[in-house]
Amino acid sequence: MRRILAILLENEPGSLSRIVGLFSQRAFNIESLTVAPTEDASLSRITIATSGDDRVLEQIVKQVNKLIDVIKITDLTERSHIERELLLIKVLAMNEKSRTEVKRITDIFRGSIVDIGKQIYTVQLTGNAEKLNAFIETMGNETEIIESVRSGCVGIARGEKALRV
Amino acid sequence: MNFLGTIKGKHMTTNSFTGAEMVVKALAAMKIKYIFGYPGGTVLDIYDAIFQQSEFEHILVRHEQAATHMADGYSRATGEVGVVLATSGPGATNCITGIATAYMDSIPMVVLSGQVPTNLIGDDAFQETDIVGCSRPVVKHSFNCRSVEDIPNTISKAFYIAKSGRPGPVVVELPKDILMPHNKGEFHIETDVQLRSYNPTEKGHPKQIRKAVKAISSAKKLVVYSGGGIVLADAAELLTELVETLNAPCTNTLMGLGGLSGTHKNFIGMLGMHGSVEANKAMANADVILALGARFDDRVTNNVKKFCPNATIIHVDIDPTSISKTINAHIPVVGLIDIVLQQLLDELIETDYQIDQKANDSWWQQINQWRAVNSVGYTQGEGKIKPQRVIEAMYKITNGEAYVCSDVGQHQMFAAQYYPFAKPRQWINSGGLGTMGFGLPAAMGVKLAFPDSHVICITGDGSIQMNIQELSTCSQYNLPVVIISLNNRSLGMVRQWQDMIYGGRHASSYMESLPDFVKLAESYGHVGMQINHLEELDDKLTEAFNIKNRLVFVDVLVDELEHVYPMQIRLGAIDDMWVRKGEKA
């Protein structure tokens, strides 16, 4: 089962390598991982999308928590949450027809065209993984995908619940 | 005049110290008595500062791996943090096996490693390795120290992390430029460390304690299964009190031996791969298992799918990751084992616990039937000396009071089976990592701590050669340990598996060209002795133990065909065992 884990940890050199090392050392899965400092520069926040059964997930959460740098970890998928991922994608837009089609698909998915080259449009889209997958597939059916990059997902709990020190 | 005074006096006006001086001052503030290490380019400033102080002693080993094992043995015997100093590059990487050994057995250790100057880091400079990176999977935590001012509190934090919660090794990397004389800073150290990201649990949750006692009270076939956590937490007395209160059978893991005295009437032996039949049978048939500071590792459980299907498992451990990792715990309790044991005892009184006499009697009756098999037994006969016989002699001569430091292999299992340890910290072995070469340096660390006690290194012709160079260190510091090598001219445990599982094909398990161990010991200035006949065993061993001020290397030629029994049958349940060759439990 797919899970999204949010981790708050000390923004120290090497903290990220401990997290990544732990996952590889114990053969845990990483689907995506994002990291950045928080508004408090002494803290980093990591979002990891992973998968595994309940037993594996319990170990992942416990093992991450055991790292000295980690302050808190929570499984966002346990309750209602917001999940977002950013996609930047370059697609071929050589003629009128394909330009119109790219624009139309982008509008339908509520993305935006953020850069235009002679033959290439660059589109930005945010959403959950499923939406991004659908967009890439649709776009791929209409025109050629030149390059794409995904941020990996970030997430936050809905409502009053917050992950903070 | 001591170092602190000298430095203080010398720099009183500026109140500034070099990084190397700060390292030494911080270590003194941690009240260490010994540091084990080996000098090299990047740590020469620290060595220079150590040379000029008298707060603690530096022990020069012959290989950095031995420094880590010495620090480890010292820690296991005393409960204090073991401290190691190594230079960058090969010095640091040589420590890895020792760090991993300490990590697997949760031993508090601080390893200070040199590093090339900050401006050279990443350039593949001479003797540069990323030791923090190399050691990452086998440390509790590590620090890259990057400024002179950070040194004291980094060391203080390293000690705190190493010894609190579930103990473990901590690596501190110190680049040369922050140690050198040109770079000075103010010395300030916080000995009361607070970390927002690290607050180990102390007390067990009261609700879980109540649940645990309820399960214990309704048990008809209770087993106490206790591990290294009891030893590390110095909780042997509380464990004994609990076992007696419940009149429960108690088994110890390899790491937990001595937690309950090996001669206590409730002790049913070690469990697991080479455990006693009664211990493994009791586990398999228990309705409640109270696991205390043990971690259900694969050398205990055998096939997890067949593990104790009818038992309610209460698992007490300081480390939440140990709980339900391999075996699901029905009642998990996270906390320091000594505190939780006290909570359990209090709750038993609170709930007016009474032993269910009938159930207890019939459970013991059953256990005594299993005991009657006498699974930990052997036949000496007229011929070659049986290795087990040597351990028994060793036990008698030392009155069961020696520190026994083991290497890894058959001799380790024989020692665990045939030397009933009365006290915790008496049995010192690499249980988790199984590090050959651990025994001698560990014994040296113990001897430093307890010079007046018998300290034995029980080893074999394979293991002893993995750190034999330390015989030189023993001469330098006069560490008269007694080395008893069960010499079977082969890698006994490997050979045993080859006999049992690989059709008797002895691939690379035969030790050719063994040295003359007697002469070897003598060449280092020690006493060497060989025992080849059963008739001379007791007398010669007694003689060896009577030589108080010199190291004695006793090379005992034992029966090379002897196997360690009992032994779990691969992929079976915990109690599926060979009791002897061709005889199942």
Side-chain angles (χ1 to χ4, degrees):
Chain A
M1 195 185 153
R2 183 171 180 269
R3 304 291 184 105
I4 300 166
L5 305 175
I7 303 162
L8 205 58
L9 74 168
E10 297 288 355
N11 184 10
E12 298 274 351
S15 339
L16 177 62
S17 74
R18 283 178 223 281
I19 300 273
V20 176
L22 173 70
F23 274 72
S24 84
Q25 176 186 352
R26 296 195 183 262
F28 300 147
N29 209 11
I30 298 183
E31 187 188 290
S32 78
L33 183 152
T34 68
V35 58
T38 67
E39 72 286 353
D40 172 351
S42 72
L43 294 171
S44 283
R45 177 152 168 160
I46 293 178
T47 313
I48 295 181
T50 180
S51 57
D53 58 24
D54 287 349
R55 185 183 200 81
V56 172
L57 249 295
E58 184 183 327
Q59 268 299 307
I60 293 178
V61 170
K62 284 174 167 180
Q63 293 286 358
V64 170
N65 228 344
K66 186 176 163 181
L67 294 173
I68 306 292
D69 286 335
V70 170
I71 297 169
K72 274 180 185 167
I73 174 169
T74 182
D75 179 356
L76 291 173
T77 24
E78 265 180 357
R79 48 176 67 78
S80 171
H81 67 282
I82 300 158
E83 178 191 338
R84 290 290 181 271
E85 188 173 354
L86 172 72
L87 167 74
L88 293 173
I89 187 167
K90 276 186 178 172
V91 295
L92 212 55
M94 293 180 68
N95 51 38
E96 191 54 38
K97 184 174 167 280
S98 65
R99 281 180 201 140
T100 316
E101 205 49 34
V102 168
K103 176 85 172 72
R104 193 178 67 85
I105 296 167
T106 303
D107 288 345
I108 291 171
F109 278 86
R110 293 191 201 129
S112 45
I113 296 167
V114 290
D115 190 38
I116 295 176
K118 272 185 191 155
Q119 299 186 340
I120 286 173
Y121 278 12
T122 303
V123 182
Q124 167 190 307
L125 185 72
T126 55
N128 62 21
E130 219 173 292
K131 178 180 164 185
L132 265 52
N133 290 341
F135 178 78
I136 292 168
E137 198 191 328
T138 312
M139 201 56 106
N141 290 336
E142 289 305 326
T143 181
E144 193 182 333
I145 296 169
I146 305 298
E147 182 188 352
S148 74
V149 57
R150 297 171 67 149
S151 64
C153 80
V154 293
I156 200 161
R158 285 190 185 275
E160 306 299 309
K161 210 178 147 50
L163 185 66
R164 58 202 300 251
V165 178
Chain B
M1 188 185 285
N2 71 28
F3 169 74
L4 292 178
T6 319
I7 295 296
K8 225 177 186 171
K10 206 157 68 184
H11 299 281
M12 193 77 94
T13 46
T14 58
N15 190 28
S16 68
F17 299 94
T18 71
E21 288 164 349
M22 287 201 195
V23 169
V24 168
K25 272 174 73 78
L27 292 174
M30 296 297 112
K31 299 188 170 62
I32 72 161
K33 295 187 186 76
Y34 298 101
I35 187 166
F36 306 92
Y38 204 100
T42 55
V43 288
L44 284 179
D45 292 287
I46 300 177
Y47 272 86
D48 197 40
I50 290 175
F51 190 78
Q52 299 176 58
Q53 57 84 47
S54 54
E55 298 283 314
F56 55 88
E57 191 182 349
H58 176 267
I59 305 292
L60 173 69
V61 292
R62 300 298 178 265
H63 186 292
E64 290 88 349
Q65 184 192 345
T68 54
H69 294 328
M70 253 182 115
D72 182 320
Y74 180 82
S75 173
R76 288 183 204 232
T78 62
E80 291 166 27
V81 178
V83 194
V84 176
L85 174 58
T87 194
S88 62
T93 54
N94 277 346
C95 292
I96 296 285
T97 304
I99 295 170
T101 304
Y103 179 72
M104 289 292 273
D105 291 343
S106 312
I107 305 304
M109 180 186 287
V110 170
V111 178
L112 305 178
S113 161
Q115 182 55 288
V116 299
T118 315
N119 65 328
L120 293 183
I121 290 177
D123 287 359
D124 298 320
F126 178 65
Q127 296 195 328
E128 179 188 358
T129 39
D130 171 14
I131 191 57
V132 164
C134 287
S135 63
R136 203 215 64 243
V138 293
V139 294
K140 183 171 174 186
H141 196 56
S142 44
F143 292 97
N144 305 83
C145 204
R146 288 290 179 263
S147 78
V148 181
E149 287 79 7
D150 282 350
I151 291 173
N153 282 333
T154 303
I155 289 176
S156 173
K157 274 186 212 167
F159 273 76
Y160 168 67
I161 291 169
K163 70 187 173 196
S164 56
R166 179 180 181 173
V170 178
V171 166
V172 180
E173 182 193 87
L174 299 158
K176 176 151 182 163
D177 54 315
I178 68 165
L179 302 170
M180 286 163 71
H182 67 274
N183 207 344
K184 286 187 179 166
E186 274 190 34
F187 182 87
H188 173 73
I189 191 162
E190 293 279 346
T191 45
D192 184 22
V193 177
Q194 302 280 339
L195 294 171
R196 66 176 169 180
S197 63
Y198 174 68
N199 298 292
T201 312
E202 292 183 351
K203 273 176 83 169
H205 196 290
K207 205 176 100 191
Q208 296 303 93
I209 300 286
R210 282 197 295 276
K211 271 195 199 167
V213 165
K214 210 171 155 197
I216 292 167
S217 302
S218 60
K220 304 259 182 257
K221 297 187 238 175
L222 173 69
V223 177
V224 176
Y225 151 49
S226 88
I230 295 288
V231 176
L232 290 167
D234 293 314
E237 277 176 34
L238 288 166
L239 171 69
T240 309
E241 191 182 337
L242 182 75
V243 166
E244 286 172 356
T245 307
L246 304 171
N247 193 31
C250 176
T251 176
N252 289 164
T253 67
L254 178 68
M255 292 307 299
L257 292 175
L260 183 72
S261 170
T263 55
H264 194 285
K265 69 177 177 52
N266 290 53
F267 185 61
I268 54 170
M270 180 171 76
L271 81 170
M273 181 170 275
H274 294 296
S276 72
V277 164
E278 54 269 34
N280 286 345
K281 287 270 182 209
M283 288 287 283
N285 291 279
D287 61 354
V288 176
I289 292 172
L290 175 57
L292 301 168
R295 60 187 179 89
F296 296 88
D297 93 306
D298 56 296
R299 285 297 195 265
V300 161
T301 60
N302 210 4
N303 187 344
V304 290
K305 292 199 182 81
K306 297 179 181 171
F307 184 78
C308 307
N310 304 317
T312 298
I313 292 169
I314 307 164
H315 192 174
V316 184
D317 205 286
I318 183 63
D319 180 1
T321 70
S322 286
I323 296 175
S324 298
K325 180 166 63 184
T326 58
I327 299 293
N328 189 48
H330 304 94
I331 305 172
V333 186
V334 177
L336 288 173
I337 202 87
D338 47 343
I339 294 178
V340 173
L341 278 171
Q342 193 58 61
Q343 284 178 290
L344 289 172
L345 285 164
D346 292 348
E347 180 69 14
L348 285 167
I349 294 168
E350 188 78 18
T351 56
D352 195 21
Y353 170 81
Q354 301 291 332
I355 293 177
D356 176 346
Q357 209 56 58
K358 213 176 133 207
N360 192 256
D361 286 349
S362 85
W363 183 219
W364 273 110
Q365 213 168 21
Q366 173 69 73
I367 288 166
N368 288 331
Q369 276 176 22
W370 292 321
R371 254 183 185 166
V373 178
N374 194 23
S375 61
V376 180
Y378 69 101
T379 315
Q380 172 53 64
E382 292 291 307
K384 292 178 178 170
I385 302 171
K386 295 288 183 188
Q388 299 95 322
R389 174 72 177 75
V390 183
I391 308 289
E392 284 183 342
M394 198 172 101
Y395 179 77
K396 274 194 203 125
I397 295 164
T398 58
N399 222 358
E401 289 166 356
Y403 287 93
V404 179
C405 305
S406 182
D407 261 310
V408 170
Q410 286 185 321
H411 60 269
Q412 178 187 22
M413 292 301 120
F414 289 135
Q417 291 174 329
Y418 291 90
Y419 198 112
F421 296 97
K423 288 186 196 140
R425 301 192 181 280
Q426 222 188 319
W427 166 239
I428 286 166
N429 85 128
S430 168
L433 196 68
T435 308
M436 289 172 72
F438 173 81
L440 175 58
M444 291 155 62
V446 177
K447 191 71 189 178
L448 264 183
F450 299 106
D452 299 329
S453 299
H454 281 307
V455 178
I456 300 170
C457 164
I458 181 79
T459 183
D461 49 294
S463 282
I464 191 64
Q465 292 191 82
M466 281 214 191
N467 263 321
I468 199 152
Q469 76 286 346
E470 296 309 313
L471 286 174
S472 170
T473 310
C474 290
S475 316
Q476 182 174 353
Y477 296 97
N478 186 30
L479 298 169
V481 300
V482 179
I483 299 171
I484 298 175
S485 177
L486 303 182
N487 183 346
N488 56 7
R489 285 78 64 203
S490 63
L491 304 178
M493 192 57 96
V494 171
R495 183 190 170 114
Q496 173 168 348
W497 283 46
Q498 289 170 336
D499 284 339
M500 296 173 88
I501 305 162
Y502 295 91
R505 293 180 298 280
H506 297 153
S508 298
S509 61
Y510 180 73
M511 296 293 279
E512 289 181 6
S513 20
L514 285 177
D516 179 334
F517 287 108
V518 173
K519 280 190 189 151
L520 182 73
E522 285 169 356
S523 78
Y524 281 105
H526 305 307
V527 179
M529 231 182 233
Q530 193 178 62
I531 303 177
N532 205 357
H533 303 287
L534 185 60
E535 311 81 68
E536 57 182 7
L537 175 65
D538 295 325
D539 288 348
K540 279 205 170 174
L541 265 189
T542 308
E543 189 190 328
F545 281 104
N546 281 338
I547 301 172
K548 297 286 181 208
N549 293 318
R550 293 180 70 191
L551 183 149
V552 188
F553 190 118
V554 192
D555 184 30
V556 192
L557 301 183
V558 295
D559 186 352
E560 69 275 17
L561 299 178
E562 194 63 21
H563 286 180
V564 180
Y565 285 109
M567 183 173 179
Q568 280 173 340
I569 299 166
R570 275 202 310 168
L571 308 176
I574 185 172
D575 61 335
D576 286 333
M577 299 190 85
W578 296 110
V579 180
R580 278 169 275 275
K581 200 168 187 173
E583 183 186 335
K584 286 191 185 177

